[in-house]
Structures are given as C-alpha cells and as structure tokens.
Amino acid sequence: MINRLVLGSQSVDSKIVAFMDLIQSNFNARIEKEYIFSDAELDNLTMPVLFIGGDQDVIRSTQDITVRLENILSDFTAITIPQMGHVLFGLTKQISPYLKKTRR
C-alpha cells in the first residue's frame, strides 16, 4: 500500500513493485524527525540548485518546496514531473541538460 502511494499513478513494472514490497516488509523505517535546512542555511548556498519532484508526492509537497526554494535561492530550477509520486526514476532526459549547462 505504501509503495503504491509513493509511486503515484506512474506506470511501474510489477517486478519493481514486488521488489519494493519485499524491501518494505523487511525494512525498519526511520522514525526520528528529518533535518530541514533553515532559510538562512539555504541562503548561504552559492551553487545552482535543481529540484525535481513528482506532482503526486504524498510525503512532501513538491509545490510547497518549489515556492520556498524560489523565494530563497538565486540560481534555482524546479522540475515537477506529472503522475509521479515520491519515488522518481527515468529522469535522465530532465537531469542531463541541467548538468551540461554552463554558468554565466
């Protein structure tokens, strides 16, 4: 059930879902609160930042993260992938151009 939620409505090979189910049934999830960078910490970043999120992410709001980072980072690019959840894969075409671009 959790794996279906984090995948969103994207089409995923049943073998991948079965493998994720196996991992989920044998994995002790982290229960401590994750660290969230403060606005001041993010404001200190000087490098270009690429954020990629699924529009069906049930763990974190891609839209909220994008708005927050747009307001803090000067060199920020966001890509929202339709029909993807929290688990993202097959994004070489979106990531490669970003990694190949040169700063001006």
Side-chain angles (χ1 to χ4, degrees), residues 21-46:
D21 288 341
L22 177 66
I23 292 170
Q24 188 69 27
S25 64
N26 293 285
F27 175 73
N28 291 324
R30 177 180 58 189
I31 57 171
E32 66 272 1
K33 187 172 174 76
E34 67 184 349
Y35 183 80
I36 305 293
F37 289 96
S38 70
D39 290 0
E41 289 171 314
L42 292 170
D43 191 43
N44 285 323
L45 297 178
T46 59

Side-chain angles (χ1 to χ4, degrees), residues 54-100:
D55 73 345
Q56 296 177 4
D57 191 328
V58 296
I59 308 296
R60 300 280 177 263
S61 168
T62 296
Q63 294 78 15
D64 290 351
I65 293 168
T66 298
V67 168
R68 179 176 180 226
L69 296 179
E70 281 176 337
N71 288 318
I72 298 169
L73 301 172
S74 60
D75 194 351
F76 175 69
T77 302
I79 299 173
T80 301
I81 308 296
Q83 299 181 329
M84 280 202 176
H86 188 71
V87 176
L88 305 172
F89 60 90
L91 299 175
T92 303
K93 289 181 182 177
Q94 289 87 344
I95 296 170
S96 290
Y98 179 83
L99 294 175
K100 291 177 182 177

